[in-house]
Amino acid sequence: MEHQPKKIVPILKHFQGMNKIDAFNIIHKLEVLLYYLPNPINMNNINPNDIISEIENKKIDPFHFSILPNGKPCEFVGQNDWLHIYKAHSTSIFGRYLMNNYYFKTKYNPLELKKFTKKNLLHSLKNKSEELKVVEFLLKYKVTKKNLITDKFLILSI
């Protein structure tokens, strides 16, 4: 513990002039990457392409937590083997949320949080194995369609 400040200060210098929100975003991405690295970390044996392909073969986000660029936390609401969905609350009146915004990550881009829209989902899955199934789903339903009984997104059952 006594040597920690000596290790932290050089790392913090890399964040010089950056918004705290962007720094938090980078730190979260580092946490996900560190989760998949072997212990102890040896930079001589680390190939960024290998790390990315290893992440793609595993879970999308092992922490089930994300932060938007504006600093608001996102709550994990559901997943399947290629998609994680998050909810961010917005507009609170008298302690009740009036509107929820949804975001997603895919196994093809596990570090990027995107707004959960038809356009963004199709763009993320372009030329991927799930693209055809999602296109068929979107012909019948909206991207945010939920099961009325379970309150789960129908797209997660694909």
Side-chain angles (χ1 to χ4, degrees):
M1 282 302 263
E2 63 190 52
H3 298 291
Q4 254 185 342
K6 290 180 183 177
K7 293 178 182 178
I8 293 174
V9 171
I11 295 169
L12 283 175
K13 287 182 180 178
H14 290 285
F15 296 111
Q16 178 73 28
M18 189 182 292
N19 282 332
K20 283 201 272 185
I21 292 157
D22 294 332
F24 281 124
N25 208 8
I26 289 171
I27 291 168
H28 174 69
K29 290 176 183 179
L30 284 170
E31 284 178 328
V32 173
L33 287 171
L34 285 170
Y35 179 81
Y36 291 111
L37 289 177
N39 198 19
I41 298 169
N42 182 353
M43 291 305 293
N44 296 329
N45 298 330
I46 294 175
N47 180 349
N49 293 330
D50 291 343
I51 295 170
I52 291 169
S53 66
E54 187 173 337
I55 289 172
E56 287 177 353
N57 293 330
K58 294 188 178 180
K59 285 187 173 182
I60 298 166
D61 182 359
F63 305 112
H64 298 287
F65 178 77
S66 199
I67 298 176
L68 294 172
N70 66 7
K72 289 187 177 183
C74 289
E75 172 189 349
F76 178 78
V77 292
Q79 74 178 35
N80 61 18
D81 61 337
W82 57 271
L83 178 69
H84 280 198
I85 301 175
Y86 299 85
K87 175 172 62 173
H89 300 293
S90 63
T91 317
S92 172
I93 294 180
F94 305 116
R96 296 188 62 114
Y97 294 107
L98 298 177
M99 198 169 89
N100 295 318
N101 292 317
Y102 293 97
Y103 297 87
F104 73 97
K105 293 180 184 181
T106 65
K107 72 177 182 180
Y108 305 108
N109 202 350
L111 301 178
E112 186 177 357
L113 193 65
K114 291 185 175 182
K115 189 150 178 127
F116 193 45
T117 64
K118 178 180 178 178
K119 180 182 174 183
N120 288 344
L121 186 62
L122 289 173
H123 185 265
S124 294
L125 297 174
K126 191 169 187 102
N127 300 324
K128 306 293 188 234
S129 60
E130 292 84 7
E131 181 181 23
L132 186 59
K133 292 185 278 186
V134 170
V135 168
E136 289 175 12
F137 174 84
L138 293 174
L139 289 173
K140 297 177 187 174
Y141 307 106
K142 289 184 177 182
V143 71
T144 55
K145 177 72 175 168
K146 290 184 174 183
N147 181 321
L148 295 175
I149 297 169
T150 63
D151 198 37
K152 301 286 183 194
F153 286 97
L154 292 179
I155 198 159
L156 296 174
S157 62
I158 295 179

